[in-house]
């Protein structure tokens, strides 16, 4: 099995790549920084004997550059990379899209469209969503927060858009009679302070670990947060259109199948978002 993990050089993406390599998959790390990608690949090789890890330059904020991305033939892609801003001002990609919406959603939308010819007939497209999107709603009158920008809300909407796209993609794949699956996973509450060290990718000090111990009641490390996505890639019982997340309140624990959240069951919004995304990117994943 050959899997592309976007943003596989750090955070949840790194541990997704490491765990997939540990399971025997050949992993391609997609990163905009080749040096960081090689550092991550070296770290994975130090943890997993015989790991097969390569990397490809991939910048989701630069839609035009995605045309040249060539990771080779793939059995799965994990749409994990993302940007989260926590303070104004509003920023844009080179294409003029709000940075979080443009990277997290439109970047993956365009990437999936570009990768379709490279995907195996029964490939899995796994989207890493976020528990933060559970109460979010899209505003189609201000889809990119041009009139009313709040970083936290913009991030939540960008992750909701990613997840809605994934469910709409699966619906359209089924309609087309395809054997490919689109699945959503989310990491729950994943903290750096609860994440084991993988120097130099991630270094956790004793002090950080001690400060994070009380949070273990409800939260977990990014290594555990990666498991739902890995389960969605490898699980023999996984079906298209499913949502996988942690078992304890959706925040920590072993991966389990979840009911689709109320805002993820809005098929009309998902269809409208698809149409808007085609217009904004000039690409249609199934067109």
């Amino acid at each position: 099995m050959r899997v592309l993990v976007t943003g596989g050089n750090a955070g949840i993406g790194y541990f997704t790549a490491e765990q997939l390599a540990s399971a025997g998959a050949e992993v391609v790390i997609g990163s905009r920084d080749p040096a960081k990608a090689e550092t991550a690949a070296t770290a994975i090789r130090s943890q997993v004997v015989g790991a097969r890890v390569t990397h490809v330059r991939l910048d989701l904020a630069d839609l035009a550059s995605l045309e040249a991305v060539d990771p080779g033939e793939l059995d799965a892609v994990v749409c994990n990379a993302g940007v989260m801003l926590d303070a104004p001002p509003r920023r844009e990609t080179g294409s003029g899209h709000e940075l979080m919406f443009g990277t997290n959603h439109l970047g993956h939308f365009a990437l999936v469209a570009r990768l379709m010819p490279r995907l195996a007939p029964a490939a899995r497209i796994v989207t890493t969503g976020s528990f933060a999107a559970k109460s979010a709603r899209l505003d189609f009158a201000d889809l990119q927060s041009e009139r009313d920008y709040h970083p936290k809300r913009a991030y939540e909407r960008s992750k909701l858009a990613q997840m809605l796209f994934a469910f709409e993609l699966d619906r359209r794949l089924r309609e087309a009679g395809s054997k490919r699956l689109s699945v959503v996973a989310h990491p729950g509450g994943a903290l750096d302070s609860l994440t084991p060290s993988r120097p130099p990718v991630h270094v956790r000090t004793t002090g950080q670990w001690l400060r994070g111990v009380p949070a273990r009641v409800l939260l977990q490390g990014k290594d555990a947060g990666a498991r739902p996505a890995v389960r969605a890639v490898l699980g023999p019982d996984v079906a298209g259109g499913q949502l996988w997340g942690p078992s304890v309140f959706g925040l920590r624990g072993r991966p389990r199948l979840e009911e689709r959240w109320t805002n993820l069951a809005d098929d009309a919004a998902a269809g409208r978002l698809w149409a808007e995304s085609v217009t904004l990117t000039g690409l249609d994943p199934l067109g």
Side-chain angles (χ1 to χ4, degrees), residues 12 20 22 37 41-43 74 80 110 113-114 137 156 163-164 173 180-181 189 214 231 241 244 250 261 266 274:
I12 290 168
L20 287 169
S22 181
T42 300
L74 296 169
N80 165 83
R114 295 294 190 191
R137 293 289 185 277
E156 291 169 353
M163 298 167 85
L164 283 173
L173 287 169
R180 292 169 176 162
L181 307 179
R231 179 76 168 76
W244 288 83
W261 308 335
D266 190 343
W274 183 289

Side-chain angles (χ1 to χ4, degrees), residues 26 40 46 63 83 103 123 140 197 223 241 250-251 265 282:
E26 179 182 354
S46 74
L63 298 186
V83 173
T103 303
F140 285 99
S197 288
D223 56 324
L251 292 172

Side-chain angles (χ1 to χ4, degrees), residues 133-279:
K134 194 166 187 178
S135 59
R137 293 289 185 277
L138 296 182
D139 180 359
F140 285 99
D142 191 23
L143 197 55
Q144 300 197 59
S145 305
E146 295 174 283
R147 295 197 296 270
D148 187 17
Y149 178 70
H150 299 276
K152 179 176 180 292
R153 186 174 64 193
Y155 173 74
E156 291 169 353
R157 288 176 174 176
S158 75
K159 297 304 291 184
L160 173 60
Q162 262 193 281
M163 298 167 85
L164 283 173
F165 160 54
F167 287 120
E168 179 66 7
L169 174 61
D170 192 75
R171 188 189 69 78
R172 294 184 182 220
L173 287 169
R174 301 286 73 70
E175 190 175 70
S178 174
K179 293 183 179 179
R180 292 169 176 162
L181 307 179
S182 178
V183 186
V184 178
H186 75 89
L191 301 180
D192 279 332
S193 60
L194 299 177
T195 303
S197 288
R198 291 293 190 272
V201 175
H202 169 68
V203 178
R204 182 186 67 186
T205 66
T206 301
Q208 288 171 330
W209 181 80
L210 288 172
R211 288 192 293 274
V213 167
R216 281 187 178 275
V217 175
L218 285 177
L219 305 177
Q220 60 189 0
K222 293 185 176 180
D223 56 324
R227 291 172 188 154
V230 174
R231 179 76 168 76
V233 172
L234 300 177
D237 57 340
V238 171
Q242 290 182 337
L243 172 65
W244 288 83
S247 58
V248 182
F249 305 119
L251 292 172
R252 66 179 301 273
R254 297 173 62 84
R256 70 164 182 181
L257 183 62
E258 293 187 20
E259 291 293 326
R260 197 179 297 190
W261 308 335
T262 301
N263 60 349
L264 296 177
D266 190 343
D267 293 339
R272 184 174 179 183
L273 175 67
W274 183 289
E276 295 278 1
S277 302
V278 169
T279 299

Side-chain angles (χ1 to χ4, degrees), residues 12-131:
I12 290 168
Y14 168 83
F15 284 98
T16 300
E18 182 187 287
Q19 290 168 27
L20 287 169
S22 181
E26 179 182 354
V27 178
V28 182
I29 294 173
S31 172
R32 62 185 175 185
D33 188 325
K36 289 182 178 179
E38 181 55 33
T39 297
T42 300
I44 291 172
R45 294 185 194 110
S46 74
Q47 294 289 322
V48 181
V49 176
R52 296 173 294 159
V53 192
T54 57
H55 55 84
V56 62
R57 188 180 184 282
L58 190 158
D59 186 352
L60 294 168
D62 183 357
L63 298 186
S65 72
L66 298 179
E67 185 175 3
V69 173
D70 184 8
E73 301 299 315
L74 296 169
D75 298 292
V77 56
V78 181
C79 298
N80 165 83
V83 173
M84 180 172 66
L85 303 180
D86 56 10
R90 180 182 180 276
R91 294 167 56 188
E92 293 186 348
T93 67
S95 303
H97 302 129
E98 189 277 315
L99 185 63
M100 290 182 280
F101 182 81
T103 303
N104 302 350
H105 168 57
L106 293 179
H108 280 115
F109 185 92
L111 178 67
V112 170
R114 295 294 190 191
L115 290 180
M116 277 295 174
R118 295 289 193 181
L119 297 181
R124 296 186 186 185
I125 302 153
V126 176
T127 294
T128 302
S130 173
F131 197 79

